[in-house]
Amino acid sequence: MKKRNFILAGALVIVLTGCSLPGSLPKEVEETVQDEARTDDSNSSATTEAQSQDSAQTEEQAAAQKSPIIFKEVTRYFSETYDGSYTEDKDGHSLKNKPLFEGRSEAIMLADQCADTYPALYKALKESASDFLQGAENDAKTTAQNAKTDLEDAIENDYFFSGPYTSSNTVSISRADDKVVSICDYGSSFEGGAHGMYGMSGTTYDVATGQVITLDQVLNLSEDELNTVLMTKLQDNADDTDQFWDLEDTLSHYKFNPDTASSDSDNFEYGYTWYLSNDGLHFYFGPYEIGPYSNGDKDVLIGYDELSGAINKDYFPDSSKGYIFAANLPTYSKEWDDDTTPLHLVYEKEDEDTVEEGYFYCKSLTLKDMDKSATADVYFDFNSNYNVLNPYYVRTADDREYIYVSILSFNDYTELLVFDITDGDVELVGQDSFHYVYVDSDTDLAGEIVLTDPDNMYFGQVSDILGTFTCYTKYQVGSDGMPKMVDNIYTIAWISDEIKLAKELTVPIIDNDGNEQSKETLPVGTGIKPIRTDNSQYVDCQLDDGRLIRLNYTKTDYPAQIEGQNVDDIFEGLTYAG
């Protein structure tokens, strides 16, 4: 099976696998790590009981790990325009509504329905996301004010203002299973000057406890031993001998638990930027960290089994399970493509003469790997200011490999293209249409579902049986690679929140499993909150007192009917979307 390395979190990184370890490292590092591993094994029987007590989980935590986790990506957009006293810039161009700042920020959270099964992780991600998004909003206002000051200074002193200023961060999940969730956050910004800046951060959480995992929990290496490993890998993959700063001295300032408050200019300390993926432990170095800006950024990989005993086995992934992560595939126009580039996407414009100014129509999308390719006929709007293409790398438990590409299409629908790349081939196996879904749409932290597990994928549909609503249910990768529905019960994601009875209605009162407990006649004005449906026979709703009712349908095509009555006659507050 051909192994593939993919770029995570949008970073333009080089995966430095180096030579196989042990054998490619200085002998003293290899021997030290192996000796420590043997010592750990010899002492294991004496510490087994204490370790089991320390790591014991409650019954609730164990049960939670059997329940799928639904992640969502929450996005905020920021835009600030000029509101000062000047009416024109130095070239006589109007300043009315001139953009000063454009920003986008993303954060990862759990869907609200996971709050009871993963309470600690749900709380930790929600608090982190809320703080981050609020900080992004504050930074947007500050940066916009700086841009305003710089613009007015440019007018007063007759020089060019290189705005608008921008800031963007993109998050992705590099690994998610019943042990850990590792999140990468790639950011870029421009605030004038010769070029912008970019970089990445990583945070890894314990699924059961919600605690942030520290590097010294994952590694069985000292800082010096780790730095020797990193230095060897970086130098082995260097383009030339002068590519990096003095690596030994530079890396000596990186610590597991740095004192970032120290004012000692000679002994300053940095924390390592790291994350876990399904292939190992990654270390990231951004521009200027270990070399000049022209070096770009570097991503160094230490495989889980690459150096015996180096990585704590508690953090090894389960190799018998599949996984999904966001694959930041390069994307090119057909007219600029060639057959020398590894796996990437190629769009074909509907009108070949269209000038690429950030927005145009496309009529096909191709997945290419050097001279191998497969093309899907699919229409979509290409927008350089909005991410309309979302590719995922999908690996099943039986080692099949796919690229799923979700494309934002028309009227809030998405087109899903499925390419089989097993054993280095590139084949389009099919495409399907789903509806764009925001989970928890009744909150200010609504978000798009993120795919992480080939056995627990969630895709959306739209229905008009109780006004218009969006809903989603669970799929898994089928034998042909296409998503296969495994649950015919949909969770309702968005619907009018003002639905009330316009007339009396007798309905079954049900329990959480849908079993009828009794019947009750609800009075006019009763408010309902639809929560789930099979999209063909019933919709379950929650009353204000928390009880559940079931609306049984005798007709689901428009106009939908309940017990022979049109829903438009039974309810008020229904919303229909064309």
Side-chain angles (χ1 to χ4, degrees), residues 104-145:
R104 169 191 173 107
S105 289
E106 298 176 351
I108 294 291
M109 295 177 57
L110 297 190
D112 285 350
Q113 69 189 78
C114 298
D116 293 333
T117 49
Y118 296 91
L121 183 63
Y122 175 86
K123 179 182 179 183
L125 291 180
K126 183 175 182 179
E127 290 178 350
S128 176
S130 298
D131 290 345
F132 178 79
L133 294 173
Q134 182 59 58
E137 182 176 346
N138 295 339
D139 289 344
K141 294 182 182 300
T142 299
T143 305
Q145 182 58 50

Side-chain angles (χ1 to χ4, degrees), residues 554-565:
T554 52
K555 181 172 176 282
T556 54
D557 57 322
Y558 186 81
Q561 295 181 346
I562 297 173
E563 305 296 342
Q565 302 181 73

Side-chain angles (χ1 to χ4, degrees), residues 11 14 42 44 70 109 191 218 275 289 315 398 440 462 520:
I14 301 174
S42 66
S44 61
I70 302 178
M109 295 177 57
E191 297 183 23
V218 177
Y275 62 93
E289 286 193 57
Y315 297 102
D398 57 356
D440 310 322
V462 66
E520 184 171 323

Side-chain angles (χ1 to χ4, degrees), residues 333-336 347 349 354-360 382:
S333 171
K334 183 178 180 180
E335 59 190 306
W336 298 108
Y347 58 83
K349 292 180 288 187
T354 299
V355 178
E356 296 194 22
E357 293 182 347
Y359 186 90
F360 46 88
F382 190 94

Side-chain angles (χ1 to χ4, degrees), residues 70-370:
I70 302 178
F71 293 95
K72 63 181 179 182
E73 180 182 284
V74 182
T75 305
R76 292 280 189 275
Y77 294 93
F78 308 103
S79 181
E80 299 285 343
T81 58
Y82 182 70
D83 61 354
S85 58
Y86 288 93
T87 59
E88 294 181 344
D89 64 14
K90 69 182 187 68
D91 296 319
H93 299 136
S94 174
L95 295 179
K96 184 178 181 180
N97 296 322
K98 180 179 178 60
L100 290 176
F101 175 78
E102 300 289 343
R104 169 191 173 107
S105 289
E106 298 176 351
I108 294 291
M109 295 177 57
L110 297 190
D112 285 350
Q113 69 189 78
C114 298
D116 293 333
T117 49
Y118 296 91
L121 183 63
Y122 175 86
K123 179 182 179 183
L125 291 180
K126 183 175 182 179
E127 290 178 350
S128 176
S130 298
D131 290 345
F132 178 79
L133 294 173
Q134 182 59 58
E137 182 176 346
N138 295 339
D139 289 344
K141 294 182 182 300
T142 299
T143 305
Q145 182 58 50
N146 292 339
K148 177 181 178 181
T149 300
D150 292 346
L151 171 61
E152 292 181 339
D153 186 64
I155 294 172
E156 293 168 1
N157 294 284
D158 194 27
Y159 64 85
F160 177 72
F161 170 68
S162 56
Y165 293 172
T166 61
S167 177
S168 175
N169 83 287
T170 303
V171 292
S172 66
I173 300 175
S174 59
R175 177 181 156 189
D177 49 41
D178 58 4
K179 295 179 181 179
V180 304
V181 176
S182 204
I183 300 173
C184 297
D185 186 337
Y186 176 79
S188 61
S189 64
F190 174 74
E191 297 183 23
H195 55 72
M197 277 298 296
Y198 61 92
M200 194 187 77
S201 63
T203 309
T204 300
Y205 296 87
D206 184 294
V207 169
T209 67
Q211 296 294 313
V212 173
I213 297 172
T214 57
L215 183 56
D216 51 2
Q217 292 176 277
V218 177
L219 271 178
N220 294 321
L221 297 175
S222 69
E223 290 161 344
D224 289 342
E225 291 167 341
L226 171 61
N227 288 341
T228 300
V229 174
L230 295 175
M231 185 164 56
T232 299
K233 284 176 170 285
L234 286 164
Q235 290 174 334
D236 285 350
N237 289 272
D239 295 331
D240 57 66
T241 57
D242 297 325
Q243 184 174 3
F244 304 112
W245 309 129
D246 181 355
L247 273 179
E248 184 173 2
D249 178 67
T250 301
L251 291 174
S252 70
H253 294 279
Y254 284 83
K255 306 294 180 183
F256 292 152
N257 299 291
D259 179 10
T260 55
S262 174
S263 59
D264 186 344
S265 59
D266 294 326
N267 296 297
F268 55 89
E269 296 180 356
Y270 298 126
Y272 296 93
T273 298
W274 64 277
Y275 62 93
L276 294 175
S277 66
N278 286 279
D279 58 357
L281 172 61
H282 290 252
F283 290 86
Y284 174 86
F285 297 95
Y288 294 124
E289 286 193 57
I290 56 176
Y293 184 87
S294 58
N295 271 1
D297 48 5
K298 305 297 177 186
D299 190 295
V300 182
L301 167 65
I302 302 176
Y304 288 108
D305 290 320
E306 190 174 342
L307 182 60
S308 177
I311 299 177
N312 187 335
K313 288 186 178 295
D314 290 342
Y315 297 102
F316 280 32
D318 185 344
S319 60
S320 69
K321 295 182 179 180
Y323 54 87
I324 301 176
F325 61 80
N328 184 44
L329 300 181
T331 303
Y332 307 112
S333 171
K334 183 178 180 180
E335 59 190 306
W336 298 108
D337 185 45
D338 58 40
D339 293 337
T340 64
T341 305
L343 208 61
H344 64 285
L345 295 172
V346 180
Y347 58 83
E348 182 180 9
K349 292 180 288 187
E350 186 174 35
D351 182 354
E352 294 181 359
D353 295 328
T354 299
V355 178
E356 296 194 22
E357 293 182 347
Y359 186 90
F360 46 88
Y361 297 108
C362 295
K363 62 180 181 180
S364 73
L365 188 72
T366 300
L367 180 69
K368 290 193 66 175
D369 190 356
M370 309 294 280

